[in-house]
Amino acid sequence: MSTDHLNIEFALHQIPERLLDESKNPKPHVHSIEKYNELYQESISNPKEFWGRCAKEFLHWHKPFETVLSGGFEHGDISWFQEGQLNASYNCVDRHAIKDPDKVAIIYEADEPGQDRKITYGQLYRDVCRFANVLKHHGLKKGDTVAIYMPMVPEAVIAFLACARLGAVHSVVFAGFSSEALRDRIKDADSKIVITADEGCRGGKIIHTKKIVDDALKECPNVKRVFVFRRTGSDVPFNPSRDLWWHEEIEKQRPYCPPEIVNAEDPLFILYTSGSTGKPKGVLHTVAGYLLGAAVTFKYVFDYHEGDVHGCMADIGWITGHTYIIYGPLINGATTVLFESTPIYPSPSRYWETVSKHKITQFYTAPTAIRLLRKYGREHVDGHDLSSLRLIGSVGEPIQPEAWEWYNEVVGRNECAIIDTYWQTETGSIIISPFPGAVMTKAGSATVPSFGIDLVILDPLTGQEIKETKAEGVLAIRQPWPSIARTVYNNHDLYLRTYLHRYKGYYFTGDGVGRDSDGYYWIRGRVDDVINVSGHRLSTAEIEAALIIHPSVAEAAVIGVHDDLTGQAVHAFTTLKPHCESTDLGELTLQVRKVIGSFATPKKIYVVKDLPKTRSGKIMRRVLRKVVDGETDQLGDLSTLSNPTLIGPLIEAVKNS
Ligand code: 6R9
């Protein structure tokens, strides 16, 4: 790997004064670099003491644990707080509803401005109990899986927590996925119940949610019940022998439902994510460890204080929504915003109107949204009262220094903490990020590890740890932390192979990384065949599989290409079957939208005669990448290429497209 850029030292940004001024700001929990170092060192050298203490402080246990950690990376038998028993919904709702029933738990900012709604902890408690009783009445039991395919409405949160109350496992499918993708996820997780809505609204557009569910369920005979929340009230198809209306069912139930007490290591949820294989993986998280990771990072990384309003703009269908809209905030008894719309609806000021209306204190979004708003210009930000903001955060992909500076200056007015947070579905919670109040920042660096995260940089070829401070390699972790995923649903072997056995003794993230002379980490992006479009993690293999379904396509190869707006964009190369002279590119695009969802749509499709392959038949995507980037003089070692004559026509095809 090239190390040229390691010589560039980026300027350190001081901790904004406002953050350290106790007359304007609550004193940060981690208020100095010494404090960070002390806590971090303890968490690494004595993880049992550190996490044992946190587990008692952050969680309510119905039965206390004795063992903090057992098992490890070798067999993937990691278990935290083994003998402990608890309930996630009790921890997120009941204890706050008892203490402060009128405190606002959720601020729902609906797609149309002005239709917002607030839900207190008392109300949330009753709603969760009612809906849990509905599910119980229809036969849902501890350990059963439930698919949730819902827009960003409070009832989605209620659905998560009602499952957790009964010890059931939720498998949330992002509501932008197509019916086929939904079908595959329902089948893989063996969900018998689906919770959905009549329609969704986003950016002024209607999404035909229930219809998509109906299409998916044509091939899911095991789904016996579908609960339909009425979001728009439009006429939608309804199958009376299977479907039930949310509003009719909850009226029948009383708002009390005892929580099912489960073991610390029982599953809390499955969430599908793309890996380098074509099939999405059902990443499984367990109750206690996941909740603890969410709770501790929420408090320390977002520097949560009583009275704060937390605005995470992600979708609940992604891990960011699970951890930092729902579980992290609610475990801490915080007020969390559920944002149904888009950054540009009805205008590019929507975020800032929302911040000033609800006096949001922590604002969290993705680089793709920041780049989009930067493109629209600062006039859409200026003039809005953003004085409530103390911290602004970014997640999902590397943030370019230009975008970081714009965010810091225009949104943060140089007086907010700015946190670039790096983590993954599999890590459950943030693993690299500045601690506001303690860690100085550099534009484009996620900076330092979170508590308990023992980061290492490995040489990708030898798997040896690179001990020098300045280093470049792949990112791995040496010790288990509480919110690490425990398995891939129904495929523990895949879990071991993907994360734990690739480099023996370490958890492997799949990301390339650099470390500068200050010990700051710079995430370079995926080293496997995963593309990141607007923070959506897509696998090249999955998109290729979708293209190949089309009757005229023989082969497909998909690559991620730099894109100013979306970070990466999907470019697809296809070869056609012998009898096909040409094909309708629109149909191919449609194919991807149908099988995966519109967010995976290729930006460009090139029809070529042949794909570059190694002699063993592996497609050389690296060559395709270079050709698209115009770096045809740097195609690298082509000695393994089986058919060197295809390069010329390939370059032509890209040029002429
Ligand atoms: C939380 C989330 C994980 C992948 C990850 C990496 C990329 C996430 C990042 C980042 C650079 C950041 N990623 N945050 N890259 N800087 N701050 O996004 O989870 O959807 O599983 O994606 O996203 O490549 O491996 P997930």
Side-chain angles (χ1 to χ4, degrees), residues 392-414:
I392 53 176
S394 162
V395 59
E397 46 174 331
I399 176 165
Q400 295 69 22
E402 302 74 38
W404 191 101
E405 297 284 3
W406 184 87
Y407 196 33
N408 188 33
E409 192 188 313
V410 177
V411 178
R413 294 146 291 119
N414 294 310

Side-chain angles (χ1 to χ4, degrees), residues 408-625:
N408 188 33
E409 192 188 313
V410 177
V411 178
R413 294 146 291 119
N414 294 310
E415 61 169 38
C416 291
I418 171 163
I419 59 167
D420 172 8
T421 63
Y422 166 82
W423 56 297
Q424 310 177 296
T425 305
E426 297 86 342
T427 67
S429 55
I430 292 167
I431 61 165
I432 307 183
S433 165
F435 283 69
V439 177
M440 287 190 272
T441 49
K442 296 184 189 187
S445 166
T447 75
V448 299
S450 299
F451 299 143
I453 306 298
D454 193 359
L455 291 182
V456 291
I457 298 185
L458 303 178
D459 179 313
L461 297 176
T462 63
Q464 292 295 312
E465 183 181 342
I466 306 173
K467 295 229 165 81
E468 289 79 24
T469 306
K470 258 194 181 186
E472 193 73 27
V474 294
L475 184 66
I477 303 171
R478 198 192 334 250
Q479 296 182 27
W481 62 101
S483 65
I484 183 179
R486 300 297 195 266
T487 193
V488 170
Y489 187 69
N490 258 340
N491 201 343
H492 197 62
D493 184 53
L494 181 64
Y495 171 81
L496 292 175
R497 274 187 284 129
T498 314
Y499 306 111
L500 304 183
H501 290 172
R502 178 82 167 264
Y503 297 104
K504 285 263 178 207
Y506 302 98
Y507 165 86
F508 173 52
T509 60
D511 283 301
V513 71
R515 186 168 53 209
D516 68 18
S517 56
D518 292 321
Y520 277 41
Y521 289 86
W522 300 77
I523 305 296
R524 310 270 183 236
R526 307 287 308 190
V527 295
D528 50 18
D529 290 329
V530 174
I531 308 180
N532 191 326
V533 180
S534 299
H536 298 305
R537 200 168 139 182
L538 305 169
S539 99
T540 52
E542 209 179 341
I543 303 172
E544 287 161 6
L547 286 166
I548 281 175
I549 298 172
H550 191 274
S552 63
V553 173
E555 275 195 303
V558 164
I559 56 168
V561 176
H562 172 80
D563 186 281
D564 280 342
L565 212 55
T566 56
Q568 283 188 302
V570 174
H571 283 215
F573 288 80
T574 57
T575 60
L576 300 182
K577 289 184 182 157
H579 60 275
C580 300
E581 294 272 288
S582 67
T583 187
D584 178 351
L585 295 186
E587 275 183 25
L588 298 189
T589 306
L590 208 65
Q591 188 73 45
V592 177
R593 298 168 76 103
K594 187 164 159 285
V595 176
I596 303 171
S598 56
F599 57 93
T601 306
K603 192 167 177 191
K604 275 204 163 165
I605 301 179
Y606 313 93
V607 177
V608 293
K609 284 257 171 305
D610 208 354
L611 293 172
K613 287 188 195 150
T614 62
R615 283 165 220 272
S616 63
K618 283 201 173 57
I619 296 174
M620 296 171 82
R621 293 186 185 75
R622 156 177 76 85
V623 172
L624 298 174
R625 260 180 232 122

Side-chain angles (χ1 to χ4, degrees), residues 21-96:
D21 180 347
E22 282 178 46
S23 66
K24 293 196 184 136
N25 202 60
K27 186 175 177 178
H29 296 297
V30 187
H31 48 76
S32 66
I33 191 69
E34 292 76 24
K35 182 81 188 159
Y36 163 76
N37 285 332
E38 177 197 317
L39 286 167
Y40 179 72
Q41 284 315 328
E42 191 212 355
S43 74
I44 298 301
S45 53
N46 202 349
K48 293 184 182 173
E49 172 71 30
F50 180 87
W51 289 116
R53 193 173 68 229
C54 288
K56 287 180 194 146
E57 181 189 331
F58 283 85
L59 300 176
H60 174 88
W61 297 88
H62 279 80
K63 183 180 160 225
F65 56 89
E66 286 153 32
T67 321
V68 174
L69 169 63
S70 60
F73 287 164
E74 191 186 345
H75 304 289
D77 54 351
I78 302 152
S79 91
W80 285 89
F81 318 113
Q82 198 158 267
E83 309 80 3
Q85 294 189 334
L86 74 172
N87 177 276
S89 92
Y90 183 91
N91 270 280
C92 287
V93 187
D94 300 35
R95 52 186 184 149
H96 312 306

